[in-house]
């Protein structure tokens, strides 16, 4: 559940950043599962200016200073790529607002870390792909993001969350959590647990390709939910990829896959009525088209071939993570109601089942792209 953050604390934190003007409002904002996010509006001489203020989740990100180092490096690189493309760096990449001490974060008396970004105005983060075009545009944006980081030096990045998408390792941890049964919830989730046990081999598939060097390790976003891309209100184009906490070496097929998992599902991630959950093939096709266009030929044939396997693996992995968190007492993902993580797990299982039912059609879509794309 969300922890209450007092106004005095917010006032104190805001005063540390290099902004001017009087605070008009500072309210909780967005639907992220990880950080505490606020929209801050300040009255400045030129008019109202909006910012995003975030308290970094310290139980998840063990070293916020390294995390902010990563984000500074990545946004600097993206900014120069955007300038080369004659884009607008103030809207197309996150701008960090420094503190009065010229740091990218503020550490409060409790040891919590805060950061501030320029708010990207006239743009929307969608929770659902309301139209095919919207989803296509988000795909182009994530593809472009991938392409723009193609030559970024990964060695200057810290691993913000080690083994973040190491699915087989997550499976081992999941078994440990089941074994421990800290909250006494294992019995209730027996069917779901069994589902993931049956999928052990499949969950290793993509990682095996990586280990055998058949897939390249790239710098990827690693959390490509639709609500992590801003869509311009007037043009409908995906303008800015946000939530850069997990930018790390990773697999392009996982960036593709996590977008499909979240955005091509016909239901919400925590929907209780599982009959609403399915894979929308039209959205799958649009995303594939947009992502490959955005990547501009930078993916290998094997990566393109494995894109749907990335989608299935990410859905399995995420479902397993939701379930592990439920079994551990909802300590990782923010929840707003009881059993929300169990519900989230169930939608992921249902989505995997629907992917399996539709695998032939998925392959048909992919064949078309494999033939045209090369
Ligand atoms: P979390 O890791 O908790 O998901 P995010 O960084 O994704 O946190 O932020 C949560 C939400 O805040 C986003 O989904 C988006 O709606 C909003 N947001 C974040 N950064 C910006 C920004 N620079 N401009 C406008 N909105 C933003
Ligand atoms: C979290 O931060 P947010 O809400 O965009 C999580 C992702 C999960 C996602 C599931 C750092 O993403 O890995 O796929 O929830 N982020 C982290 O909705 O764990
Ligand atoms: Mg987010």
């Amino acid at each position: 559940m969300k922890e209450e953050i007092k106004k005095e604390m917010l006032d104190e934190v805001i005063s540390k950043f290099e902004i001017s003007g009087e605070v008009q409002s500072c309210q909780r904002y967005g639907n992220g599962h990880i950080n505490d996010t606020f929209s801050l509006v300040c009255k400045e001489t030129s008019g109202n200016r909006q910012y995003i203020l975030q308290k970094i989740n310290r139980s998840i990100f063990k070293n916020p200073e390294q995390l902010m180092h990563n984000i500074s490096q990545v946004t600097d690189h993206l900014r120069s790529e955007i300038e080369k493309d004659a884009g607008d760096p103030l809207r197309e990449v996150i701008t960090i607002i420094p503190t009065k001490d010229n740091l990218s974060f503020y550490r409060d008396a409790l040891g919590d870390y805060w950061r501030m970004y320029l708010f990207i105005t006239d743009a929307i983060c969608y929770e659902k792909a309301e139209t095919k075009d919207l989803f296509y545009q988000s795909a182009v944006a994530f593809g472009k993001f991938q392409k723009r980081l193609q030559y970024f030096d990964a060695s200057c990045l810290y691993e913000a969350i080690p083994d973040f998408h190491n699915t087989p390792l997550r499976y081992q941890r999941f078994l440990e959590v089941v074994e421990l049964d800290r909250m006494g919830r294992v019995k209730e989730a027996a069917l779901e647990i069994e589902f993931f046990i049956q999928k052990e081999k499949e969950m290793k598939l993509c990682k095996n390709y990586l280990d055998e060097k058949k897939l390249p390790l790239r710098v990827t976003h690693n959390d490509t939910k639709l609500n992590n891309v801003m869509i311009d209100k007037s043009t409908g184009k995906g303008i800015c990829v946000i939530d850069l906490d997990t930018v790390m070496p990773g697999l392009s097929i996982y960036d593709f896959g996590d977008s499909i998992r979240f955005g091509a599902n016909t239901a919400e991630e925590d929907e209780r009525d599982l009959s609403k959950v399915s894979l929308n093939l039209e959205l799958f096709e649009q995303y594939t088209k947009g992502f490959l266009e955005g990547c501009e030929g930078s993916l290998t044939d094997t990566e393109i071939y494995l894109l749907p396997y990335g989608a299935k693996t990410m859905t399995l992995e995420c479902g397993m993570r939701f379930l592990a968190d439920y079994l551990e007492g909802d300590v990782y993902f923010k929840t707003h109601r009881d059993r929300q993580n169990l519900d989230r797990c169930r939608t992921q299982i249902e989505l995997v089942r629907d992917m399996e039912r539709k695998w032939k059609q998925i392959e048909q879509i992919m064949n078309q792209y494999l033939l045209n794309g090369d």
Side-chain angles (χ1 to χ4, degrees):
M1 300 283 170
K2 277 179 189 167
E3 152 211 8
E4 199 210 334
I5 297 176
K6 294 226 157 54
K7 185 180 174 303
E8 300 77 59
M9 170 59 96
L10 289 172
D11 287 343
E12 197 246 345
V13 170
I14 295 166
S15 74
K16 304 294 176 188
F17 285 88
E18 190 60 53
I19 53 172
S20 58
E22 191 189 319
V23 174
Q24 296 289 292
S25 62
C26 184
Q27 281 159 352
R28 275 203 181 267
Y29 189 78
N31 288 306
H33 292 343
I34 304 297
N35 296 303
D36 287 290
T37 304
F38 298 84
S39 153
L40 166 70
V41 179
C42 289
K43 190 174 175 189
E44 298 181 1
T45 37
S46 53
N48 279 353
R49 197 181 258 259
Q50 200 171 351
Y51 302 93
I52 282 285
L53 176 68
Q54 274 182 331
K55 186 171 95 174
I56 300 173
N57 188 323
R58 209 155 41 104
S59 63
I60 292 178
F61 299 107
K62 305 288 181 207
N63 193 326
E65 299 190 20
Q66 290 184 351
L67 178 75
M68 290 313 292
H69 164 91
N70 284 356
I71 296 179
S72 301
Q73 299 285 312
V74 169
T75 51
D76 284 351
H77 179 90
L78 291 172
R79 196 167 298 109
S80 75
E81 292 296 307
I82 289 162
E83 279 161 4
K84 278 188 217 154
D85 294 344
D88 177 356
L90 284 180
R91 281 176 66 67
E92 294 178 35
V93 62
I94 276 181
T95 304
I96 299 172
I97 306 290
T99 63
K100 288 179 174 151
D101 298 332
N102 204 24
L103 294 174
S104 58
F105 56 85
Y106 167 65
R107 185 168 184 261
D108 69 21
L110 301 172
D112 282 319
Y113 285 78
W114 296 79
R115 65 184 167 206
M116 199 182 278
Y117 296 142
L118 212 56
F119 193 100
I120 296 158
T121 52
D122 303 312
I124 304 174
C125 280
Y126 287 89
E127 292 302 317
K128 223 175 160 333
E130 288 169 9
T131 63
K132 276 190 304 187
D133 190 57
L134 161 66
F135 201 44
Y136 163 80
Q137 297 296 346
S138 76
V140 175
F142 280 123
K144 242 193 217 173
F145 181 86
Q146 171 71 89
K147 165 88 173 102
R148 282 178 170 155
L149 289 173
Q150 198 182 1
Y151 300 114
F152 177 77
D153 179 10
S155 68
C156 68
L157 291 182
Y158 296 101
E159 215 179 345
I161 305 178
D163 290 306
F164 188 57
H165 282 318
N166 184 342
T167 319
L169 187 70
R170 284 201 181 268
Y171 178 73
Q172 290 312 318
R173 288 193 194 144
F174 167 74
L175 292 183
E176 286 163 24
V177 168
V178 172
E179 180 64 34
L180 223 59
D181 193 15
R182 242 176 41 157
M183 308 295 291
R185 292 177 173 178
V186 158
K187 201 163 162 227
E188 180 193 5
L191 289 177
E192 288 78 11
I193 293 168
E194 184 54 28
F195 178 84
F196 292 108
I197 291 175
Q198 292 302 321
K199 298 290 177 193
E200 179 186 2
K201 212 167 138 218
E202 281 184 66
M203 283 196 274
K204 286 186 181 151
L205 185 123
C206 299
K207 176 72 165 51
N208 286 345
Y209 271 86
L210 174 68
D211 292 344
E212 290 162 16
K213 306 220 174 338
K214 292 180 186 156
L215 274 177
L217 196 62
R218 299 180 183 274
V219 176
T220 51
H221 184 278
N222 294 306
D223 188 3
T224 49
K225 279 160 72 166
L226 182 62
N227 65 12
N228 284 334
V229 61
M230 313 261 340
I231 307 286
D232 188 288
K233 268 188 198 164
S234 55
T235 64
K237 299 230 182 298
I239 46 162
C240 182
V241 170
I242 60 168
D243 202 346
L244 305 179
D245 292 333
T246 50
V247 176
M248 285 179 287
L251 296 182
S252 61
I253 63 168
Y254 286 169
D255 270 8
F256 172 90
D258 204 43
S259 288
I260 296 296
R261 175 194 76 73
F262 186 82
N265 181 356
T266 50
E268 306 275 321
E269 198 179 53
D270 61 353
E271 175 60 57
R272 279 179 272 206
D273 178 356
L274 293 181
S275 69
K276 291 187 180 163
V277 176
S278 69
L279 176 78
N280 181 324
L281 283 170
E282 248 187 331
L283 290 181
F284 178 89
E285 180 159 12
Q286 287 299 309
Y287 196 90
T288 308
K289 180 171 180 283
F291 190 71
L292 292 176
E293 279 174 22
C295 286
E296 282 183 57
S298 57
L299 300 191
T300 65
D301 291 352
T302 310
E303 283 177 297
I304 299 175
Y305 168 73
L306 287 175
L307 290 175
Y309 294 91
K312 190 171 177 187
T313 307
M314 282 299 94
T315 312
L316 283 165
E317 183 191 278
C318 199
M320 194 169 64
R321 289 174 64 196
F322 287 143
L323 183 51
D325 196 33
Y326 178 69
L327 298 178
E328 284 199 292
D330 308 305
V331 289
Y332 187 98
F333 297 105
K334 288 191 191 300
T335 53
H336 317 281
R337 57 173 164 82
D338 286 349
R339 292 195 170 74
Q340 194 172 7
N341 275 320
L342 183 58
D343 292 333
R344 286 171 176 154
C345 156
R346 287 176 171 158
T347 62
Q348 305 307 292
I349 292 178
E350 196 49 42
L351 188 59
V352 168
R353 291 195 167 124
D354 200 48
M355 285 177 181
E356 287 172 347
R357 283 191 283 270
K358 291 174 176 159
W359 204 256
K360 279 243 143 46
Q361 289 139 285
I362 291 176
E363 278 178 344
Q364 271 162 13
I365 294 170
M366 292 314 298
N367 279 341
Q368 171 195 326
Y369 285 98
L370 278 166
L371 296 177
N372 293 344
D374 290 320

